[in-house]
């Protein structure tokens, strides 16, 4: 009792030590509960059938079907509700084919599949399904952001932090704080150095300051950021999604672009990014920090950035535009009825590379079940064939335009099984440094609001996204 | 206490349900498993003095909770430790408390007074946090205290605390619904809040507590619209969904008029029609509409508040949050005028790149939308193409969308795509593809035969599932026209030996039974085989065998009487009672006995009644009565708590309810507003200038000459006004979109001719403004400086505009009239003339050089007319020579009577159109039958399907009475038989005309050798080949006439051929250059077979029809 009264004095004396206070309130509250005296006897269980929250409970399930974390934002829902999900999971064969939305007699289950984990939420009433799905992905993103990966082992290792995070992200089933900058102010991400210090000094992972960001008009940015070296880096990454048919003509091709930023600037910098050719961008989506109206009227990105890593903008260049395809593929895959074997011959060459080198070239083929083994020779790189998953992977590396890489040889087939009708399609991975295939270029980046001179950098890279060659 | 023992016990023995924790920590669990000792170590740790031990204990307890283990018996021990200085411990205790307070109400209640103290803390974050804890403890007894706390917090100074209060409302409501009335008061108060922080949370509370109290929104509607963009993303979703419902109750259906127009057809006057509800049944509406439209033709003007909502949500289509994008998309789908809904397609297509769960939901919604608004997604067809790496459920959904998007123009590409899918390894997906083909075939009659052929080929597929699915689909297709396809039925009859899939066997049997008169020989034989294997069949197959037997008995009792008896006897002793029942029933019906009464007379009628063909429908049809993006829509069933989307009201409720006493956004004076409007306009005109300056110039001169148009626009002044306000509001958008808009407008115009004069008028005005604008540059710079105000004033503007613009329009008109034709216009028209002559020369130059064709009369003709136009002289060069060659069929474009003396005929001259090789040359012959001269014959206002282009003929300046002139224009039909619509204008009149090409004119001849022909034909097999048997007309059994008739029907060239029994022709389509190969193989007695190979299946199918007709007549 004395102790808690002491705290009260402290509160009155120094209101400035805000973070400390928050935690103290809880203690005061609870101390009163313990020492406060009288006990209430009767209390009816508060079960009401009307339940209004959006997300009721969350279960994390690993690929074996074990529930390794559960969190309820209201009264507890028995984990037996997951049985409906397991049933659907079994029926679907592939984890990707589990319907994201399931209906059970009393609940609805909305799930996502990320990093071999299922995030399964239980809801009871009408809610836009995308709302829940988007939120679950945000949760997974946050884990990724905090722990570097989003896997069962990492989550069980950091179970307490995870639980605290979930507590902050959702209030009564409605999203509360989903900005990583705000969350990191409240709950610090683990880090080896600090965990050592913490064990020595008894320090903690819970932030000592209050999340002021939540109060401001720019909730995505922490207050009072300070860096010795002020730097801002932007990565423009474009992925080509394409379907190329047997004869080499492009069936459809689109570009998915994203500008990832890593901004480490002190204070409240106000950045403006302009492009050489903003007309390319007719379908864009922004981080909430970007001012829509400036974009609409002037085609520049004007924003006060969050601190650290974030996705500034994504854009889509649809198949109606002309999309350059960097490589061509000459292939022939044949299966012969007699002798139960097949032949494979693939050559890759550069097509529209804008004078840059194609790197990290890789071809992945999902062979039909009947293919037992592959006996091939590659002029460049090496190949592997996994007999169980039927995946043929040819890792080529850098594409040499003088000497085109070729992979050829025979495939041994299961005897007595009819030949597969469809030739497997080729999935291509590649990377081109210093090139945005759409031709997008950042022309300048200006900073207002702060005096120092930041170091700025923009990097371009083009990758193959869902690049498929039909055979 | 010993820490080591505590550590050992760690997670062990924590379960209360008696389920030991061996799974996680078998070693420790094995040692400390005795129940009564459970958690003793944790209690000890919590009682210790060391923070680190407490923290460790708390972490373990929270970990237990996270794993779903019960830790409730630790409640006293945990609570004892809250006084701990360590903040992390406290935080964890808080987590524990919220989880178990409900189960330990007695203890939880003790803290209430402390919470109340926390609520009065000077620090806003502490107040908020106290409220959050208080409201999260689900203890009924504290309801009054919570209520009080919420009320207090709702008027807190800090918006953050108010936000927390809003969050607490639904918590309290779910705890005690009887508090509803008081909570509504709080909600009402919070709704009036002006900060973005609160808006999302309070609307969420509104939706959960009192979604029916739509009246609470009125006063806050405009504020919510204006704040929307700055609200956090989750709040945006909730607000947008709520506003969609609100708008449905408060505004009129913006699409009333279009729906009227579509059915009315007349289009002229009913454009601004009555207030009928679009969603009503068509027929019912027609009746009503006709009466109502006449009775009260009230012009539709969009409520400015409705516009405000649409405008303010549009930028959110660019949100990174898929839920927000979807929310805006459904808002536009349910609320926007048809012409504007298109903007959401792009954003939705972008979401398809997201996580597969997002794709799943988005595709479901796209599937629903694509049924109602197909055109919206058509440009993005390719984005729905399927990759082999897509999960099956995504593939099936994409297939659904592709099927919905299929129409006559794109069906060939879609079918080609489907062809690749059929070979997929994913058999479920293949089955879905086959069904999709079936649906395309039923919906698009042109490709029905092609699809059927393709499906029949699949019957020889190795995979049984594929065959089975094809059988089922073929069965459905055949039901539509069985008499034509007896050979397919025969083919299928053969399959019974091999196919094992019960559903497929049953389908085949049904088919044979149903159409047994088409296969009289085979049917009894099939029955014989089936009778043999009867006992081994599946139940559905057995039922169909009985069915088949009965039908055969009725039609062919001589052959099948015994068989039928046998089958029925077998069925009589079947294990399944359904089958026994059926057998008994059928025996009574068909076998006439003494007892069987009247029924057996009708047996034939019962069994052989004509069955209606099944309608293959999308499972997504009519799903849009659920609000899109909702859970209910996804499940196609009403979910708990779903709020129905109300129908549009018949008449708009009073819009003044949304007026606020001191509205900030209407403060600025009207003059300022107008200034701003002026500023915004040039934006628009600038961008528009690109799209069509000549057009507006045209209209300018037009209105100067004809007084008709101006009076017309006055009549429909309200229309142009709304149009104008729309333009103004969207002026900030990118030009491309503007152009799109423009196109859409044009499309609209196409439908309603009268509209046209209006839009012309407005564009004309626009230009005038633009001219004026060039002088006062000041205002522009002004506006740039106070951009911030813009957003606020914008809303006001639209409001004011509507009240004012009418007057303004009139003023401007006066202004325009008083200021006789401004100079620049004159200049422009002059320039145009010059340009025209240049064009003529262009037209003229390339003509002589390239073509191998003999001197083409039409070119010289056009030259003649050109020269005529240039010289403006009256010396008319003899037009008599311009007779189209005899083989060319000419069509009437404009009849003498409707054309008031001017008659126009056109023919497809089959000459290459020199200015653009992708165009089809159309030769037009104008004859002036009237007594007066006709001047300035030209084309205006060309309305085309997307992708089509037109090269107009040069203006004919003078066509004297009784004379004839010829001109050539080029049209790129994009390989479709869609009509090109345009206006033919003289100096006095405009005539709406259209040119629709026969399919044979969409190609040009190419020369192929016999080998090339065979090679190309070999590559165009399968679905690209269409074969038809025919009997040649008596007159056309020799080769010469065949060749003549085919080449008349289609612009093809003959391919040399070794055999005299075959005639071959080849050509390429004009636009895409796809090969068209035609083979006519003659047999004895006039029998012949026609084969068309063409990559474009629609063209192929249509061509087959045309040639058939030509050869058989």
């Amino acid at each position: 009792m004395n102790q808690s009264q002491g705290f009260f004095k402290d509160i009155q004396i120094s209101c400035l030590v805000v973070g400390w206070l928050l935690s103290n309130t809880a203690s005061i509250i609870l101390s009163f509960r313990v020492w406060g005296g009288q006990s209430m006897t009767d209390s009816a269980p508060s079960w009401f059938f009307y339940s209004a929250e959006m997300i009721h409970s969350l279960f994390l399930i690993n690929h074996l079907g074990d529930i390794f974390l559960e969190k309820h934002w209201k009264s507890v829902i028995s984990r037996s509700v997951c049985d409906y999900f397991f049933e659907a999971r079994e029926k679907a064969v592939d984890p990707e084919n589990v319907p994201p939305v399931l209906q059970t007699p009393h609940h609805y289950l909305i799930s996502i599949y990320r990093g071999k984990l299922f995030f399964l939420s239980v809801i009871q009433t009408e809610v836009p399904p995308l709302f829940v799905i988007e939120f679950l992905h945000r949760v997974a993103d946050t884990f990724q952001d905090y722990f570097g990966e989003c896997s069962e082992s990492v989550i069980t290792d950091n179970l307490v932090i995870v639980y605290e995070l979930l507590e902050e992200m959702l209030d009564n089933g409605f999203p509360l704080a989903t900005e990583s900058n705000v969350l990191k102010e409240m709950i610090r991400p683990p880090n080896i150095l600090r965990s050592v210090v913490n064990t020595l000094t008894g320090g903690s992972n819970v932030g000592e300051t209050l999340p002021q960001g939540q109060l401001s008009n720019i909730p995505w940015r922490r207050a009072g950021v300070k860096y010795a070296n002020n730097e801002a880096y932007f990565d423009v990454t474009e992925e080509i999604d394409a379907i190329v048919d047997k004869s080499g003509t492009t069936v459809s091709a689109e570009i998915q672009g994203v500008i990832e930023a890593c901004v480490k600037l002190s204070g409240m910098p106000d950045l403006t990014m302009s492009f050489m050719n903003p007309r390319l961008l007719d379908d864009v989506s922004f981080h909430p920090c970007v001012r829509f109206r400036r974009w609409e009227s002037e085609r520049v990105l004007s924003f006060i950035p969050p601190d650290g890593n974030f996705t500034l903008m994504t854009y889509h260049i649809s198949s109606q535009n002309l999309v350059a395809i960097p490589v061509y593929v000459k292939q022939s895959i044949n299966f012969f009825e007699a002798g139960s074997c097949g032949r494979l011959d693939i050559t890759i060459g550069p097509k529209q590379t804008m004078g840059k080198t194609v790197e990290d070239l890789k071809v992945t083929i999902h062979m039909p079940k009947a293919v037992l083994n592959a006996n091939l020779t590659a002029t460049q790189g090496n190949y592997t064939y996994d007999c169980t998953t039927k995946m043929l992977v040819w890792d080529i590396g850098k594409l040499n335009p003088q000497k085109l890489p070729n992979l050829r040889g025979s495939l041994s087939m299961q005897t007595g099984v009819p030949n597969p009708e469809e030739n497997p399609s080729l999935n291509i991975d590649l990377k081109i440094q210093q090139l945005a295939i759409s031709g997008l270029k950042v022309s300048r980046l200006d900073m207002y609001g702060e005096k120092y001179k930041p170091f700025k950098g923009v990097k371009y890279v083009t990758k193959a996204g869902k690049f498929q060659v039909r055979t | 206490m010993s820490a080591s023992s505590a550590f050992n016990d760690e997670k062990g023995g924590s379960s209360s349900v008696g389920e030991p924790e061996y799974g996680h920590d078998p070693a420790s669990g094995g040692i400390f498993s005795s129940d009564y000792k459970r958690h003793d170590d944790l209690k000890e740790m919590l009682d210790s003095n060391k923070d680190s031990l407490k923290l460790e204990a708390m972490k373990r307890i929270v970990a237990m909770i996270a794993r779903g283990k019960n830790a409730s018996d630790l409640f006293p021990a945990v609570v004892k430790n809250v006084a701990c200085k360590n903040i992390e411990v406290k935080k964890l205790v808080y987590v524990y408390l919220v989880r178990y307070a409900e189960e330990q109400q007695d203890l939880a209640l003790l803290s209430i007074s402390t919470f109340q103290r926390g609520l009065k803390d000077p620090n806003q974050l502490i107040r908020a946090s106290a409220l959050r804890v208080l409201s999260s403890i689900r203890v009924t007894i504290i309801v009054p205290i919570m209520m009080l706390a919420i009320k207090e917090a709702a008027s807190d100074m800090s918006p953050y605390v108010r936000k927390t209060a809003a969050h607490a409302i639904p918590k309290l409501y779910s705890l005690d619904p009887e508090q509803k009335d008081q909570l509504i008061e709080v909600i009402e108060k919070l709704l009036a809040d002006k900060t973005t922080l609160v808006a999302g949370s309070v609307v969420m509370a509104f939706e959960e507590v009192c979604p029916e109290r739509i009246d609470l929104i009125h006063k806050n509607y405009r504020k919510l619209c204006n704040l929307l963009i700055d609200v956090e993303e989750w709040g945006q979703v909730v607000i947008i969904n709520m506003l969609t419902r609100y708008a449905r109750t408060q505004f009129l259906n913006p699409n009333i008029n279009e729906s009227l127009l579509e059915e009315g057809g007349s289009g002229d006057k009913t454009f601004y029609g009555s207030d009928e509800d679009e969603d009503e049944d068509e027929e019912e509406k027609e009746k009503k509409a006709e009466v109502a439209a006449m009775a009260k033709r009230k012009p539709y003007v969009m409520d400015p508040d409705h516009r405000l909502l649409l405008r303010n949500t549009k930028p959110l289509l660019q949100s990174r949050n898929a839920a927000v994008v979807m929310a805006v998309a459904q808002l536009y789908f349910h609320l926007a005028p048809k012409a504007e809904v298109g903007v959401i397609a792009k954003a939705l297509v972008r979401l398809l790149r997201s996580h597969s769960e997002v794709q799943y939901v988005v595709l479901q919604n796209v599937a629903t939308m694509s049924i109602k608004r197909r055109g919206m997604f058509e440009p993005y067809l390719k984005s729905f193409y399927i990759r082999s790496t897509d999960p099956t459920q995504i593939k099936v959904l994409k297939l659904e969308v592709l099927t919905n998007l299929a129409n006559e123009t794109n069906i060939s590409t879609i079918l080609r795509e489907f062809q690749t899918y059929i070979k997929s390894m994913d058999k479920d997906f293949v089955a879905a593809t086959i069904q999709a083909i079936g649906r395309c075939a039923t919906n698009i009659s042109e490709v029905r035969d092609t699809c059927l052929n393709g499906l029949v080929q699949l019957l020889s597929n190795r995979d049984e599932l594929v065959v089975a699915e094809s059988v089922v689909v073929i069965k459905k297709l055949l039901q539509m026209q069985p008499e034509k396809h007896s050979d397919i039925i025969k083919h299928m009859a053969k399959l019974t030996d091999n196919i094992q899939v019960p559903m497929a066997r049953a389908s085949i049997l049904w088919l044979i039974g149903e159409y047994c008169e088409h296969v009289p020989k085979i049917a009894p034989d099939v029955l014989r085989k089936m009778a043999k294997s009867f006992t081994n069949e599946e139940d559905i197959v057995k039922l169909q065998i009985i069915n088949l037997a009965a039908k055969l008995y009725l039609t062919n009792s001589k052959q099948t009487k015994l068989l039928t008896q046998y089958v029925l006897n077998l069925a009589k002793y079947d294990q399944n009672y359904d089958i026994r029942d059926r057998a008994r029933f059928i025996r009574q019906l068909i076998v006439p006995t003494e007892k069987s009464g009247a029924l057996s007379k009708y047996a034939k009628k019962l069994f052989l009644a004509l069955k209606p063909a099944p309608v293959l429908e999308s499972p997504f049809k009519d799903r849009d009565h659920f609000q899109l993006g909702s859970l209910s829509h996804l499940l196609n069933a009403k979910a708990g708590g779903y709020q129905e989307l109300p129908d549009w009201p018949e008449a708009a409720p009073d819009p003044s309810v949304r007026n606020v006493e001191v509205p900030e956004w209407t403060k600025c004076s009207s003059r300022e507003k107008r200034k701003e409007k002026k500023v915004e306009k040039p934006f628009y005109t600038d961008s528009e200038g690109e799209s069509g300056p000549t057009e507006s110039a045209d209209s300018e001169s037009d209105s100067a000459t004809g007084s008709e148009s101006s009076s017309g626009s006055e009549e429909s002044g309200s229309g142009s006004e709304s149009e104008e306000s729309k333009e103004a509001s969207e002026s900030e958008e990118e030009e491309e979109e503007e152009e799109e808009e423009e196109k859409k407008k044009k499309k609209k115009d196409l439908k309603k001719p009268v509209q046209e004069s209006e839009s012309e008028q407005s564009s004309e005005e626009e230009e005038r403004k633009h001219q004026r604008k060039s002088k006062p540059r000041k205002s522009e710079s002004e506006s740039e400086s106070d951009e911030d105000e813009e957003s606020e004033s914008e809303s006001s503007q639209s409001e004011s505009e509507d009240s004012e613009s009418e007057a303004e329009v009139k003023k401007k008109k006066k202004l325009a009239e008083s200021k006789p034709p401004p100079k620049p216009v004159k200049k422009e028209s002059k320039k145009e003339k010059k340009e025209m002559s240049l064009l003529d020369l262009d037209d003229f130059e390339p003509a002589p050089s390239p073509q191998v064709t003999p001197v083409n009369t039409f070119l010289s003709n056009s030259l003649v007319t050109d020269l005529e136009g240039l010289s403006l002289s009256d010396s008319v060069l003899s037009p008599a020579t311009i007779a189209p060659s005899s083989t060319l069929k000419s069509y009437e474009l404009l009849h003498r009577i409707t054309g008031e003396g001017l008659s126009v005929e056109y023919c497809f001259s089959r000459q290459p159109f020199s200015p653009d090789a992708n165009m089809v040359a159309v030769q037009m012959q104008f004859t002036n039958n009237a007594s007066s001269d006709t001047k300035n014959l030209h084309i205006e206002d060309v309305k085309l399907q997307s992708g089509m282009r037109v090269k107009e003929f040069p203006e004919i300046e003078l066509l004297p009475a009784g004379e004839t002139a010829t001109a050539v224009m080029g049209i790129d039909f994009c390989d479709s038989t869609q009509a090109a619509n345009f206006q033919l204008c003289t100096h006095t009149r405009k005539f709406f005309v259209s040119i629709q090409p026969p399919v044979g004119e969409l190609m040009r001849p190419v020369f192929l050798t016999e080998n090339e022909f065979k090679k190309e034909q070999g590559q165009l097999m399968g679905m690209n080949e269409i074969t038809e048997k025919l009997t040649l007309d008596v007159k056309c059994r020799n080769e010469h006439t065949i060749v003549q008739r085919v080449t008349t029907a289609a612009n093809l060239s003959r391919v040399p051929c070794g055999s005299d029994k075959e005639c071959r022709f080849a050509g390429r389509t004009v636009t895409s250059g796809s090969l068209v190969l035609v083979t006519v193989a003659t047999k004895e007695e006039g029998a012949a077979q026609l084969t068309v190979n063409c990559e474009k299946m629609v063209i192929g199918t249509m061509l087959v029809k045309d040639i058939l007709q030509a050869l058989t007549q």
Side-chain angles (χ1 to χ4, degrees), chain A residues 65 151 153 158 218 274 327 340-341 390 414:
Chain A
S151 68
S153 62
N158 297 289
I218 36 170
S274 44
V327 293
S340 65
C341 68
K390 306 289 176 196
Q414 202 175 338

Side-chain angles (χ1 to χ4, degrees), chain B residues 677-871:
Chain B
K677 195 165 144 199
K678 275 184 193 169
V679 178
E680 272 182 25
K681 277 281 153 65
F683 239 108
Y684 179 73
T685 31
D686 274 350
S687 59
E688 204 214 24
E690 269 180 80
S691 61
T694 49
E695 205 184 354
S696 55
D698 270 358
S699 62
E700 185 82 33
S701 59
D702 244 43
S703 65
T705 52
S707 59
E708 270 176 46
S709 62
S710 70
S711 69
S713 72
E714 206 147 15
E715 215 173 70
S716 51
S718 56
S720 74
E721 166 198 315
S722 74
E723 193 116 48
E724 203 184 40
S725 71
K726 187 173 82 191
E727 280 158 14
S729 67
E730 278 164 9
S731 62
E732 327 158 328
E733 287 154 26
E734 46 185 305
E735 287 160 39
E736 270 167 299
E737 262 175 55
E738 212 93 88
E739 270 165 23
E740 246 176 54
E741 195 90 358
E742 198 65 24
K743 269 183 216 156
K744 269 178 223 151
K745 239 203 294 173
K746 273 188 198 159
K747 248 186 221 167
K748 244 200 264 165
D749 292 352
L750 179 75
K751 285 182 196 161
K752 331 129 192 153
V754 161
Q755 246 313 75
E756 200 222 301
S757 64
E758 251 170 56
S759 71
E760 264 174 29
Q761 177 78 12
S762 68
S763 66
E764 164 196 325
E765 246 171 52
E766 220 84 81
E767 194 173 86
R768 226 168 274 155
K769 258 174 244 158
H770 181 49
Q771 285 157 12
R772 268 190 280 159
K773 210 82 325 120
S774 53
K775 288 171 214 164
R777 271 289 150 105
K778 261 183 256 165
S779 55
E780 202 171 320
S781 61
E782 217 175 270
S783 77
E784 255 171 22
S785 63
D786 49 32
E787 212 175 28
D788 300 5
E789 279 172 34
E790 206 176 86
S791 63
E792 266 186 26
S793 53
E794 236 172 30
S795 63
S796 68
Q797 206 182 301
S798 68
E799 212 182 349
S800 69
E801 239 169 68
D802 266 77
S803 56
E804 277 187 3
S805 54
E806 202 165 352
E808 217 167 321
V809 166
K810 274 182 194 161
K811 243 187 248 168
K812 273 171 205 156
K813 225 175 267 162
K814 267 187 203 164
L815 224 141
E817 277 166 84
S818 61
K819 263 194 217 162
K823 275 178 190 172
V825 177
K826 254 189 189 171
K827 262 184 201 167
E828 227 163 335
S829 61
K830 262 185 200 168
K831 216 189 265 169
E832 213 180 25
K833 264 184 202 163
K834 259 185 206 166
E835 260 171 15
M836 213 184 292
S837 60
L838 277 174
L839 267 179
D840 290 354
L841 287 175
D842 273 349
D843 219 348
F844 169 74
E845 259 182 283
S849 49
Q851 267 69 39
V852 202
T853 50
V855 187
N856 23 21
T857 44
F858 82 92
L859 267 177
S860 55
N861 280 333
S862 74
L863 182 62
V864 167
T865 46
D866 292 349
L867 288 171
E868 223 178 311
L870 275 177
S871 61

Side-chain angles (χ1 to χ4, degrees), chain B residues 282-300:
Chain B
E282 283 279 322
E283 291 170 31
E284 197 185 320
K285 199 175 30 169
E286 212 162 347
K287 279 183 228 150
K288 263 191 185 178
E290 264 171 47
V291 183
M294 294 303 133
K296 41 160 190 177
R297 198 182 306 135
K298 202 169 142 197
Y300 171 77

Side-chain angles (χ1 to χ4, degrees), chain B residues 137-404:
Chain B
I137 294 177
R138 291 176 291 276
V139 179
T140 351
I141 278 184
I142 64 162
V143 164
I145 298 167
M146 273 168 77
M147 193 64 233
L148 208 67
I150 290 174
K151 275 185 180 169
E152 241 167 70
S155 41
D156 198 289
M157 269 167 52
S158 149
Y160 185 66
V161 176
R162 296 201 297 272
K163 182 191 173 75
T164 318
H167 272 272
I169 291 171
K171 294 186 205 171
L172 178 54
Y173 180 62
S174 72
L175 199 57
D176 183 7
E178 280 170 25
Q179 304 294 320
K180 187 170 175 180
D181 293 340
Q182 289 193 57
L183 286 174
I184 291 176
E185 277 172 37
V186 181
I187 289 174
E188 196 171 358
K189 189 172 181 182
L190 285 172
L191 275 172
D193 207 298
K194 288 195 175 60
T195 51
T196 52
L197 211 55
V198 184
S201 306
V202 70
V203 172
M204 190 262 304
F206 169 85
E207 285 285 83
E208 297 192 347
V209 176
C210 53
E212 71 285 351
R213 288 290 305 275
I214 213 84
D215 55 298
L216 296 180
I217 303 299
H218 291 321
K219 294 262 180 254
N220 303 298
Y221 173 81
R222 289 174 194 161
K223 183 197 68 197
L224 282 174
C225 286
N226 287 320
L227 285 184
L228 192 58
I229 199 158
D230 295 319
V231 175
E232 42 89 33
E233 38 197 355
W234 309 108
Q236 284 172 346
V237 178
V238 180
I239 295 179
I240 293 171
N241 278 321
M242 186 274 290
L243 288 180
T244 311
R245 258 187 23 249
Y246 178 84
R248 266 299 181 88
T249 61
Q250 298 300 318
F251 306 129
L252 290 179
N253 185 354
N255 295 321
I256 298 171
N257 305 312
E258 261 148 84
S259 60
L260 270 181
L261 189 80
E262 269 162 25
E263 54 189 67
S266 62
D268 289 13
K269 289 180 179 174
T270 47
F271 173 52
Y272 291 111
S274 73
D275 314 339
E276 290 306 312
D277 197 326
E278 190 205 23
D279 297 339
E280 272 177 315
D281 191 29
E282 283 279 322
E283 291 170 31
E284 197 185 320
K285 199 175 30 169
E286 212 162 347
K287 279 183 228 150
K288 263 191 185 178
E290 264 171 47
V291 183
M294 294 303 133
K296 41 160 190 177
R297 198 182 306 135
K298 202 169 142 197
Y300 171 77
V301 181
M302 187 183 269
D303 190 308
D305 287 328
H306 190 174
R307 172 55 62 200
L308 176 74
L309 176 61
L310 292 177
R311 185 180 343 129
N312 282 10
T313 48
K314 197 174 172 190
L316 293 178
L317 283 173
Q318 284 164 347
S319 170
R320 64 169 172 174
N321 190 318
V324 177
V325 177
M326 190 65 232
V328 179
Q330 65 84 20
L331 181 133
Y332 261 75
F333 182 80
H334 290 300
L335 299 182
K338 245 180 203 163
E340 291 170 49
V341 181
V343 296
I344 63 174
K346 205 196 290 175
L348 288 176
V349 168
R350 187 184 68 231
L351 293 187
L352 292 182
R353 186 65 208 288
S354 191
H355 302 285
S356 78
E357 296 87 7
V358 175
Q359 278 187 47
Y360 177 81
V361 178
V362 171
L363 282 170
Q364 296 248 1
N365 286 291
V366 170
T368 305
M369 290 184 194
S370 59
I371 290 174
K372 264 260 169 93
R373 307 268 151 87
R374 184 203 284 155
M376 193 162 102
F377 290 100
E378 248 180 53
Y380 303 98
L381 190 70
K382 285 183 175 177
S383 304
F384 298 102
Y385 281 5
I386 293 156
R387 293 183 162 77
S388 60
T389 42
D390 287 333
T392 310
Q393 53 183 355
I394 300 292
K395 284 181 187 166
V396 173
L397 282 171
K398 281 186 175 175
L399 207 55
E400 174 67 37
V401 175
L402 285 175
T403 316
N404 289 342

Side-chain angles (χ1 to χ4, degrees), chain A residues 86-115:
Chain A
F86 293 137
E87 211 174 285
R89 163 77 184 82
E90 228 152 84
K91 224 191 277 174
V93 187
D94 264 338
E96 287 108 9
N97 273 327
V98 183
V101 182
L102 291 169
Q103 189 172 13
T104 77
H106 301 290
H107 307 278
Y108 304 99
L109 307 178
I110 298 186
S111 62
I112 64 160
Y113 183 65
R114 275 279 288 265

Side-chain angles (χ1 to χ4, degrees), chain B residues 993-1009:
Chain B
V993 292
S994 74
I995 294 183
Q996 188 168 22
V999 68
E1001 303 297 342
L1002 295 176
M1003 46 201 73
R1004 54 163 174 262
V1006 290
F1007 182 78
L1008 294 180
T1009 64

